[in-house]
């Protein structure tokens, strides 16, 4: 019997949440597709119509989570009056809020990708394309409102890609954050986003992208993942750019 698209979407969500629960309890390797199917109440063969493997199921979780977070972010009223930094903060908060109930699973999935990087082959990071599009829209809007120095479409596309990578780096940092109420992550976001906006407003980040986007991206990801001394570095850099912005104005 043919089922509706609404029912298919409902089944997909049920399978994903069931997999999250089982893998969190048992681990990735100890959880089988048959166990997930039976716990979700679908046929042993039916589950493969939605997800061809456990690995693809894990990646689909992130696609769904990012889609949900972006929908929540877009639905927040009054953003037309918000600054670029406020909208970026809301976007990151929406992502982390969506992942928070499944934080243990997210950490497990991150380890899985680290030990099996071929999972990303051909597909890229899950949810990255959706995230990059949202960030590009923010940059376009900020430029239209003269919040940032004008830059061409290719540069804005490159910046949105870098910012998408930054978002994944923040998630990695958050997973390691054992401070009370994730206070270090909150501070990281506040400092890094203010630094980003200052850089965009002054045109500095555009020059850095022209000099070497790959180097900038790789160093950013290394700092976010290592965490050591990052907050102090951000504070120092923000202070320097604040002075530069004041002179530029």
């Amino acid at each position: 019997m043919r089922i509706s698209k609404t029912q298919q979407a409902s089944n997909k969500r049920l399978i994903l949440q069931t997999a999250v629960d089982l893998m969190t309890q048992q681990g990735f390797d100890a959880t089988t597709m048959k166990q997930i199917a039976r716990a979700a109440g679908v046929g042993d063969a039916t589950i493969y119509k939605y997800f061809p493997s456990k690995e693809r199921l894990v990646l689909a979780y992130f696609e769904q989570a990012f889609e949900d977070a972006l929908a929540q972010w877009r639905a927040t009223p009054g953003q037309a009056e918000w600054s670029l930094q406020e909208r970026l903060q809301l976007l990151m908060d929406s992502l982390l809020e969506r992942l928070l109930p499944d934080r243990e699973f997210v950490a497990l999935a991150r380890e899985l990708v680290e030990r099996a990087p071929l999972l990303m082959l051909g597909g890229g990071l899950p949810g990255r394309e959706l995230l990059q599009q949202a960030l590009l829209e923010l940059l376009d809007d900020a430029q239209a409102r003269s919040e940032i120095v004008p830059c061409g479409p290719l540069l804005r596309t490159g910046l949105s890609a870098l910012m998408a990578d930054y978002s994944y780096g923040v998630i990695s940092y958050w997973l390691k954050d054992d401070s009370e109420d994730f206070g270090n992550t909150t501070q990281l976001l506040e400092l890094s986003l203010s630094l980003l906006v200052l850089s965009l407003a002054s045109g500095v980040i555009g020059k850095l992208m022209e000099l070497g986007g790959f180097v900038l991206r790789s160093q950013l990801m290394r700092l976010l993942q290592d965490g050591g001394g990052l907050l102090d570095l951000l504070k120092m850099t923000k202070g320097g750019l604040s002075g530069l912005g004041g002179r530029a104005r």
Side-chain angles (χ1 to χ4, degrees):
M1 181 178 68
R2 202 174 189 85
I3 63 174
S4 68
K5 289 184 178 180
T6 300
Q7 186 59 52
Q8 288 177 357
S10 178
N11 288 347
K12 180 180 177 182
R13 283 184 178 274
L14 176 59
I15 292 169
L16 285 173
Q17 191 56 55
T18 302
V20 167
D21 294 341
L22 286 176
M23 290 181 188
T24 300
Q25 295 168 13
Q26 304 175 172
F28 176 81
D29 294 329
T31 303
T32 66
M33 289 290 276
K34 181 179 288 188
Q35 287 176 332
I36 297 168
R38 294 187 175 179
V42 300
D44 292 353
T46 302
I47 191 172
Y48 290 99
K49 295 180 181 179
Y50 292 91
F51 308 104
S53 67
K54 280 196 301 181
E55 290 80 6
R56 289 298 162 188
L57 194 155
V58 169
L59 298 183
Y61 164 82
F62 286 98
E63 291 281 356
Q64 187 67 65
F66 274 51
E67 184 178 326
D68 291 345
L70 289 171
Q72 175 185 320
W73 169 69
R74 292 183 190 282
T76 302
Q79 290 192 59
E81 307 301 321
W82 293 19
S83 69
L84 175 60
Q85 183 173 338
E86 289 170 332
R87 297 184 72 189
L88 286 168
Q89 180 75 55
L90 176 64
L91 176 55
M92 290 307 307
D93 287 346
S94 298
L95 285 173
L96 295 178
E97 183 180 328
R98 174 60 184 84
L99 297 174
L100 180 59
D102 304 321
R103 188 168 182 264
E104 189 175 344
F105 170 80
V106 174
L108 179 153
R110 180 177 177 275
E111 292 174 3
L112 170 66
V113 171
E114 285 181 347
R115 75 173 193 248
L118 289 180
L119 278 177
M120 299 291 102
L121 190 62
L125 293 167
R128 186 178 186 277
E129 186 175 343
L130 289 171
L131 184 57
Q132 184 177 347
Q133 181 57 44
L135 291 165
L136 183 57
E137 291 171 15
L138 281 178
L139 290 175
D140 289 345
D141 184 64
Q143 179 167 297
R145 298 196 296 180
S146 300
E147 281 192 84
I148 63 175
V149 172
C151 52
L154 287 178
L155 181 55
R156 291 200 302 279
T157 299
L159 283 170
S160 65
L162 175 62
M163 291 161 68
D165 289 341
Y166 155 84
S167 301
Y168 270 93
V170 168
I171 292 171
S172 294
Y173 186 95
W174 170 71
L175 288 173
K176 297 177 181 179
D177 186 2
D178 58 1
S179 62
E180 185 176 358
D181 296 326
F182 308 115
N184 286 343
T185 300
T186 299
Q187 189 176 8
L188 168 71
L189 280 171
E190 181 181 345
L191 286 168
S192 60
L193 290 178
S194 62
L195 173 59
L196 172 64
V197 172
L198 279 170
S199 300
L200 289 168
S202 66
V204 170
I205 199 166
K207 296 299 182 184
L208 288 173
M209 289 291 290
E210 291 171 5
L211 286 171
F214 173 77
V215 174
L216 181 61
R217 177 183 288 111
S218 63
Q219 291 304 307
L220 175 63
M221 292 299 289
R222 180 184 64 79
L223 282 169
L224 283 167
Q225 290 176 3
D226 291 347
L230 178 58
L231 294 179
D232 290 337
L233 175 62
L234 287 172
K235 289 176 183 177
M236 181 176 65
T237 307
K238 180 184 175 184
L241 277 174
S242 295
L244 177 62
R247 290 195 297 273
R249 292 177 188 279

